[in-house]
Amino acid sequence: MRALDRKLLRDLRQMWSQALTIALVVASGIGGFVTSLSAVDSLALARDRFYAEGRFADLFAAVKRAPAGLEPSLREVPGVADVQTSVEAVVRVEIPGVSDPIIGQLIGLDLTQAARMNLVSVSSGQPLAGPGEALQAGGVLPALVNQGFAKARGLKPGDEVNALVNGRQRTLRITGTALSPEYIFAGLWGMPDMRGFGVFWLDREVLAAAYDMQGSFNRVSVKLAPGASAQAAMQGLAQRLARYGGRDVFGRDDQVSHQMLDNEIKEQRVLGTVLPAIFLGVAAFLLNVVVTRLVGTQREQIAALKALGYPDRSIAAHYLKLVLAIVLAGLVLGIALGDRLGTLLTGLYAEFFHFPRFEHAVAPGLLLLSAFVTVATAVLGTLNAIVATVRLAPAEAMRPPAPDRYRRTLLESLGIQAMGPALRMTVRNMERRPLRAALAVGGVAAAVAITIMGNYFRDAIDVIVDTQFNLSLRGDMTVWMTDPGDEPSTRLALERLPGVNAVESTRFVQVQMSHGHRSERVLVRGFAARPELYRVIDVDNRETLLEGRGLLLTDRLAAKLGVHTGDTVWAEVLEGEPRRVAFKVGGTVRDMMGLNAYIDRAELNRALGDGDLGAGYVLGLERGREAQVLEATKGLPRVAGAFSKATMVRNMQEISARNVRIMSTILTVFASVIAVGVVYNNARIVLAERGWELASLRVLGFTRAEVSTMLLGEMAITIAVALPLGMWLGWGLIHLISELLKSDQFFFPVVIRARTYAWAGLCVVIAGVASALVVRRRIDRLDMVAVLKTRE
């Protein structure tokens, strides 16, 4: 073994605790990087593979009723490679012994020929039998159910559920669970509620007969030819489907399941890039400080090596090996940690997104990228110290470094004299090395910011739930109808139900909204002019009244359309009779959810030329009467479905609370590693540099406590300054992350509660105390004779 290699091992052994903390910081950064990106890559790979195997369609359209003979005409549209039609219906579903409201999506499968798109794969049980056996004795309908809903509700082959099919109660017997690329994510209106929404596949002939749609269809899936223009194909399809109520043709970007998948992938890529960058930046800072200190304490050794003939490149390589040994240890640990946490994150994804095969894997390219980023960050962070080592002339290195200049501190210059000797010495020492002190404060502040970031998502989810389900939706139950109908008569029928205190009507209309050359597919939400049960609440928790305001757009929609208050937009109605309506924009709303437009329901009806129509109703209930009202709504023939706000909130919180808790815990641990790494390394360096001074003070009669106070006082000042700075940095980081995560569908509100600031401060203080105890132990074990002999 070469002499320099033996020296390298000796240096690592002597500084093992510092090397370990730096390696842990590196491991945290690489672990977060590998965790997020490997899970996202696994998710994207499973999605793309399932899309290909399941022949996922490119375009979709819903119609009221169209003849089967229209299919050949749709295939003639330029850019269309294939067309597949089906019959679908939304129904109310009941599980014996379960009182929660459940919505079911019934999809008809053509059992006479193999599907060409959106293939349904059976994951357990048996597939549907042939058409001759589709209707069992007693009118029982065999059905496949989506895997997520079956797991959430504990359904297995042979179980039965009841469905209100076209006003008639029918029994669905589960033959097996299934998966489809259309419903990788199957939640109610994009909500993570697998308990309240189920997809059921039945024989198309039986479902069509139940709705009197033999020889017809109401759903179209389209596969585009390679290189075809999606926009042109959508326009051509819309023209041919318009007379059947099918002007709403949309692509994958507006398909709910694909939207959820795509948003999750984009969000995790952001988090998997921004946060690890902070960790690696802190690791580079620590490496720079440690290497600089090592060079300073080994000046005589460097001079001796040069005098013995070692070239500059060998000495530089020696210290570079030291750096690489530390970061490579962190890299290996980080990859192992990332693989483990990535498997955990993939498991959490598997509860939301369902694939035939979904395994976690770390791509070789990701490993190479991790290694490159780690090594490059470490080398760049220590390059200055290594270059300074190479430039040291032997004669200069043999001389001790010039003593520091002692002068009055800034506080003393400002007239602040109430400082004891220990505090005065501590402040002077920090002022003599302002860059190192500033970097130490910055590292601890980064730990505070990361902890705030981890707990921010918990605060954001709480605010979203509170805003959407307490401030905005203040009613207890929502009921929606099969089609918009006469509002006064429906309202009266609902008001007569036992336990109903108040009823408020709504109407939502899907439109293609345009302004100039810009166009967006949006939902116009018609609320009461002065609502009480369902209100428009912005991200600042302020209510916006619709009375006399005209059309209000969310700020993101207004920006995409290039619209300002007072402008006129055109809305092509995508349901019912063909209509193109002009609306004057009365203002904008900063909303959390999607690209929406709000208007007084009565004004919406007038603009569309309709009577007093309503499609949805929000009910205020007497306490404890929810189950009774849900049961009573089943007797109303035009009611398509109902859901309980309390049930949906409970189901969402069960999922989101656990996942956010896991994320917060992981980020808090990572932040604690940063805090320990920065505080501990800074204290160890100060101890090494000031060992002679501290030993001298002990000989002069200072107690261990007094000597410790002088050293640990610098640590305390660093943490005290870093806490408010870190809270400010956390606030800025959250604003950055919120902007990066903002999408058309969702916007995380920027909110940080007092408990989050308190928790972040507590975590860093605990990390500092733990580091202080370790350093204090080393001070107590200080060999005064050996230390004093090191100074000539």
Side-chain angles (χ1 to χ4, degrees):
M1 182 181 294
R2 298 173 54 193
L4 286 180
D5 293 334
R6 287 195 294 270
K7 178 180 179 299
L8 173 63
L9 295 177
R10 184 173 64 250
D11 289 342
L12 286 174
R13 184 170 60 252
Q14 291 175 349
M15 57 180 292
W16 69 269
S17 58
Q18 292 171 271
L20 177 62
T21 54
I22 296 171
L24 289 176
V25 174
V26 174
S28 299
I30 293 301
F33 184 70
V34 173
T35 296
S36 295
L37 297 191
S38 66
V40 165
D41 288 345
S42 299
L43 184 62
L45 177 62
R47 178 195 64 181
D48 296 341
R49 182 171 55 202
F50 193 24
Y51 279 2
E53 294 174 352
R55 303 174 192 170
F56 188 40
D58 298 308
L59 303 179
F60 309 87
V63 299
K64 296 293 289 183
R65 179 191 182 102
L70 184 64
E71 280 192 49
S73 174
L74 299 179
R75 289 192 178 91
E76 295 173 358
V77 173
V80 171
D82 195 10
V83 174
Q84 180 172 286
T85 62
S86 62
V87 176
E88 299 187 11
V90 177
V91 300
R92 299 179 64 171
V93 174
E94 297 176 22
I95 299 177
V98 176
S99 60
D100 293 344
I102 299 170
I103 304 303
Q105 179 84 17
L106 303 186
I107 302 176
L109 294 180
D110 189 347
L111 302 182
T112 63
Q113 59 181 347
R116 301 181 304 279
M117 277 176 275
N118 305 329
L119 306 186
V120 178
S121 56
V122 178
S123 54
S124 68
Q126 298 296 322
L128 294 176
E133 306 174 28
L135 187 59
Q136 298 181 356
V140 175
L141 306 180
L144 295 170
V145 62
N146 68 301
Q147 181 177 284
F149 179 73
K151 285 185 176 180
R153 288 297 184 180
L155 296 176
K156 57 185 182 300
D159 290 346
E160 295 182 351
V161 300
N162 298 319
L164 186 63
V165 181
N166 199 19
R168 178 185 174 190
Q169 284 288 345
R170 305 294 295 268
T171 299
L172 307 181
R173 178 169 296 160
I174 307 301
T175 66
T177 61
L179 298 167
S180 169
E182 263 193 299
Y183 294 98
I184 293 174
F185 174 89
L188 189 59
W189 299 309
M191 299 290 185
D193 181 14
M194 277 69 70
R195 297 169 59 87
F197 178 75
V199 183
F200 299 86
W201 290 273
L202 302 86
D203 177 19
R204 173 173 174 166
E205 292 183 6
V206 174
L207 185 60
Y211 284 91
D212 192 24
M213 291 189 64
Q214 296 94 331
S216 304
F217 63 87
N218 61 3
R219 174 81 172 182
V220 183
S221 299
V222 175
K223 197 70 177 175
L224 294 176
S229 168
Q231 191 63 36
M234 290 166 64
Q235 292 176 355
L237 290 168
Q239 291 175 358
R240 304 198 182 198
L241 293 172
R243 60 180 298 188
Y244 305 103
R247 294 178 304 282
D248 185 14
V249 182
F250 57 93
R252 288 184 181 179
D253 289 344
D254 294 312
Q255 204 263 347
V256 174
S257 175
H258 181 81
Q259 272 186 351
M260 296 299 295
L261 271 166
D262 197 50
N263 287 340
E264 186 63 32
I265 290 172
K266 290 178 181 177
E267 291 170 6
Q268 285 302 320
R269 288 199 189 280
V270 170
L271 295 178
T273 303
V274 174
L275 298 184
I278 298 175
F279 286 89
L280 293 177
V282 173
F285 148 68
L286 292 178
L287 282 167
N288 181 274
V289 171
V290 170
V291 174
T292 303
R293 173 253 167 182
L294 196 62
V295 171
T297 59
Q298 295 185 357
R299 292 170 62 93
E300 294 83 357
Q301 298 179 29
I302 294 171
L305 290 172
K306 289 193 172 188
L308 290 173
Y310 283 91
D312 290 346
R313 64 177 180 272
S314 297
I315 299 174
H318 165 70
Y319 286 100
L320 185 59
K321 287 180 182 179
L322 177 72
V323 171
L324 292 179
I326 296 173
V327 299
L328 289 178
L331 175 64
V332 172
L333 181 59
I335 290 174
L337 179 66
D339 181 63
R340 181 63 180 169
L341 293 179
T343 302
L344 172 63
L345 184 57
T346 302
L348 295 178
Y349 280 153
E351 298 184 12
F352 293 97
F353 307 113
H354 297 274
F355 304 92
R357 299 191 309 278
F358 189 20
E359 308 89 9
H360 174 257
V362 182
L366 182 59
L367 295 179
L368 292 176
L369 180 60
S370 302
F372 173 78
V373 170
T374 304
V375 172
T377 303
V379 171
L380 291 176
T382 57
L383 188 62
N384 182 57
I386 293 175
V387 170
T389 301
V390 174
R391 289 178 177 176
L392 275 177
E396 180 185 353
M398 293 296 292
R399 291 193 299 266
D404 294 312
R405 295 181 58 189
Y406 288 85
R407 58 184 182 273
R408 298 177 67 192
T409 65
L410 177 62
L411 294 179
E412 292 171 332
S413 301
L414 294 175
I416 302 175
Q417 301 291 337
M419 292 188 295
L423 179 59
R424 183 176 291 110
M425 293 176 66
T426 299
V427 173
R428 282 178 174 176
N429 186 65
M430 295 183 70
E431 283 200 8
R432 290 203 308 269
R433 297 176 176 84
L435 179 59
R436 191 183 69 186
L439 291 175
V441 170
V444 178
V448 177
I450 290 291
T451 308
I452 291 174
M453 183 71 221
N455 289 274
Y456 153 69
F457 288 103
R458 179 187 60 187
D459 293 344
I461 292 296
D462 289 346
V463 168
I464 290 169
V465 172
D466 181 62
T467 301
Q468 297 299 318
F469 292 101
N470 292 328
L471 298 179
S472 180
L473 182 58
R474 299 201 295 183
D476 303 297
M477 183 182 300
T478 297
V479 176
W480 67 96
M481 319 308 288
T482 53
D483 292 297
D486 183 63
E487 193 273 345
S489 62
T490 305
R491 170 194 287 270
L492 181 61
L494 292 171
E495 287 175 340
R496 289 176 174 174
L497 296 179
V500 175
N501 285 331
V503 177
E504 197 167 276
S505 56
T506 63
R507 185 183 180 188
F508 295 176
V509 179
Q510 196 80 47
V511 304
Q512 190 71 28
M513 189 170 291
S514 60
H515 178 252
H517 65 281
R518 302 182 182 183
S519 177
E520 290 291 333
R521 180 175 177 269
V522 301
L523 194 66
V524 177
R525 299 170 177 256
F527 289 168
R530 290 184 169 271
E532 293 292 332
L533 300 181
Y534 203 180
R535 307 186 298 168
V536 179
I537 303 294
D538 63 15
V539 295
D540 299 315
N541 289 340
R542 296 176 301 195
E543 180 183 7
T544 300
L545 296 179
L546 302 175
E547 186 175 31
R549 296 288 303 275
L551 188 71
L552 300 182
L553 306 181
T554 58
D555 55 342
R556 282 168 287 167
L557 176 58
K560 295 196 75 171
L561 292 175
V563 172
H564 300 88
T565 301
D567 291 345
T568 299
V569 295
W570 289 90
E572 181 183 355
V573 181
L574 300 177
E575 56 189 60
E577 295 297 324
R579 282 163 288 183
R580 194 166 185 264
V581 183
F583 291 100
K584 187 174 182 180
V585 177
T588 61
V589 180
R590 293 186 66 229
D591 196 2
M592 300 179 193
M593 309 295 288
L595 302 178
N596 296 313
Y598 301 97
I599 192 171
D600 177 3
R601 182 186 61 83
E603 187 176 347
L604 174 63
N605 283 329
R606 286 194 299 270
L608 297 179
D610 296 330
D612 192 1
L613 301 184
Y617 298 84
V618 182
L619 312 183
L621 308 180
E622 297 176 8
R623 186 180 298 274
R625 304 292 292 274
E626 180 180 293
Q628 184 179 357
V629 175
L630 281 172
E631 186 65 29
T633 59
K634 298 175 184 177
L636 300 178
R638 293 186 55 253
V639 172
F643 77 84
S644 160
K645 181 179 76 172
T647 300
M648 177 168 283
V649 171
R650 183 179 68 249
N651 293 341
M652 286 184 60
Q653 289 178 335
E654 286 177 359
I655 298 173
S656 61
R658 183 199 58 184
N659 294 347
V660 169
R661 187 165 54 247
I662 292 174
M663 177 183 292
S664 298
T665 301
I666 292 174
L667 288 178
T668 299
V669 171
F670 284 174
S672 299
V673 170
I674 284 186
V676 171
V678 173
V679 174
Y680 176 73
N681 275 279
N682 192 55
R684 282 296 310 276
I685 291 169
V686 173
L687 177 59
E689 291 176 341
R690 302 182 64 190
W692 190 88
E693 299 174 16
L694 299 177
S696 300
L697 292 174
R698 289 283 288 117
V699 171
L700 292 174
F702 281 70
T703 66
R704 289 177 178 175
E706 291 172 328
V707 171
S708 299
T709 299
M710 295 179 62
L711 181 61
L712 300 180
E714 185 172 333
M715 181 188 301
I717 293 174
T718 298
I719 294 177
V721 175
L723 284 177
L725 177 61
M727 293 176 184
W728 179 78
L729 288 176
W731 179 86
L733 179 61
I734 285 174
H735 276 76
L736 172 64
I737 294 294
S738 178
E739 283 299 317
L740 292 175
L741 294 181
K742 185 165 64 174
S743 66
D744 291 345
Q745 290 75 34
F746 198 74
F747 173 67
F748 273 98
V750 178
V751 55
I752 311 174
R753 293 183 172 176
R755 68 181 184 188
T756 296
Y757 285 121
W759 176 247
L762 181 62
C763 289
V764 171
V765 168
I766 291 175
V769 170
S771 301
L773 292 176
V774 175
V775 174
R776 169 60 190 269
R777 187 182 178 192
R778 288 187 173 272
I779 294 175
D780 292 343
R781 292 183 176 182
L782 197 65
D783 187 341
M784 292 181 288
V785 176
V787 173
L788 290 173
K789 285 182 178 179
T790 61
R791 182 74 63 92
E792 294 295 334

